[in-house]
Amino acid sequence: MELRHLRCFLAVAEELHFARAAEKLHIEQSPLSRAIKELEEELGVQLFFRTTRSTRLTQAGKLFLEHVPRVFAALEQARDSVKAAANGFHGQLRVALSDGIAPSRFSSFLALCRQEEPEVEIRLSEVPLSHQIKGLCNDMYDVGFAQSDEVGDGLIAEPVWSEPLMVAVPARHPLLTYKHLPLKEVLRYPLVLGDPQACEGHARQIERVLRRVDQEPLIAERVSSTDLMMALVSAGFALGLAGASQIAASREPGVVARPLAGRSPVLTTYLLRLDSEPSETLVRFIQRVNAIESTLRKSSTLPPEPDTSEETKP
């Protein structure tokens, strides 16, 4: 079995069409078909059901597809490690990011890492939460950040950062007569929310907040980024729900941040890692994560939390 066999398999599995897969690999269809046949003979199983009209994976092919991307990921990481060593780095941490992350904290955190341990290269990967969990279990990542603690067995989810959940309101919107917005009033208007596939943990936390009242939200759009959410809010398309620092960082004109009435809910970011003894490098990394939270709490410029009494009048 050679890497070319795996590349051919992956292309066909992704395209489910031999002609398109051959075009993607910049080869003729005949050598592609031959490579797949050689791979199937090597494994002793059929990987594809192929007819004149369609190509689909067999059950064995589906199982094989779960493993092949990890081979290329491991090779890529090995290549990156060699390059990092050549560039003067003496260590590496592979960090996965899901659900978006508080910009003020993360930029300060990366600056602290660079200042205190510049010889350790930090490699960042933005992935959906499900990919992060799988990658941590399969040694593709050393640590990750997400807005969910529902990670299953074998992993630890430690709450590290939190910030107030705010409502992003278009300028000149009727709700701006409220300093603190009653949730029932918010739910009278269309909302733009994070897509559960792209921002799974974030979407879960928002959903828990919306369940506080017995009122079905009117969801105008699901988006995969805070930037797009703020653009839609700025255009007057809908209201948005996001962290205070995320709204501030967007710098989108025509967006006003308002807290919810009562005790303001918070969005929590968790640090995810294997439930095992961490390396010394990872221990220092985690210590810096916690140090940043402590520092920012002392010098926070975020709006104070509202009082616990519900506002019912503007």
Side-chain angles (χ1 to χ4, degrees), residues 116-179:
E116 293 188 351
E117 213 162 3
E119 71 279 6
V120 175
E121 182 188 30
I122 295 179
R123 297 195 59 82
L124 304 175
S125 300
E126 286 190 282
V127 295
L129 176 60
S130 60
H131 291 193
Q132 178 179 157
I133 291 172
K134 185 180 292 185
L136 288 167
C137 292
N138 293 330
D139 194 34
M140 292 178 64
Y141 311 118
D142 301 301
V143 66
F145 294 93
Q147 291 188 341
S148 176
D149 59 353
E150 299 174 32
V151 295
D153 297 334
L155 295 177
I156 293 174
E158 175 188 354
V160 287
W161 298 334
S162 61
E163 63 172 335
L165 174 67
M166 306 287 280
V167 184
V169 185
R172 297 180 298 278
H173 193 280
L175 280 180
L176 292 179
T177 54
Y178 291 89
K179 290 184 179 180

Side-chain angles (χ1 to χ4, degrees), residues 221-275:
E221 193 67 66
R222 294 278 192 178
V223 297
S224 59
S225 72
T226 305
D227 287 342
L228 180 54
M229 178 187 293
M230 293 305 110
L232 294 174
V233 172
S234 178
F237 190 74
L239 307 176
L241 289 168
S245 68
Q246 291 176 313
I247 298 175
S250 74
R251 301 187 183 279
E252 191 73 41
V255 175
V256 180
R258 283 282 194 269
L260 287 165
R263 180 164 296 281
S264 179
V266 297
L267 288 176
T268 301
T269 297
Y270 297 86
L271 182 143
L272 277 54
R273 65 178 179 86
L274 282 176
D275 187 6

Side-chain angles (χ1 to χ4, degrees), residues 2 16 21 23 30 42 99 115 131 138 152 156 174 181 188 205 208 211-212 221 225 236 246 255 265 292 312:
E2 302 175 12
L16 292 179
E23 184 179 348
S30 177
E42 171 75 20
D99 303 326
Q115 175 186 339
H131 291 193
N138 293 330
I156 293 174
L181 303 180
R188 291 176 53 212
Q205 293 198 45
R208 284 196 288 268
R211 285 178 184 167
R212 290 182 177 183
E221 193 67 66
S225 72
Q246 291 176 313
V255 175
I292 284 294
T312 57

Side-chain angles (χ1 to χ4, degrees), residues 208-224:
R208 284 196 288 268
V209 173
L210 297 181
R211 285 178 184 167
R212 290 182 177 183
V213 298
D214 186 19
Q215 190 172 336
E216 195 67 25
L218 175 60
I219 301 173
E221 193 67 66
R222 294 278 192 178
V223 297
S224 59

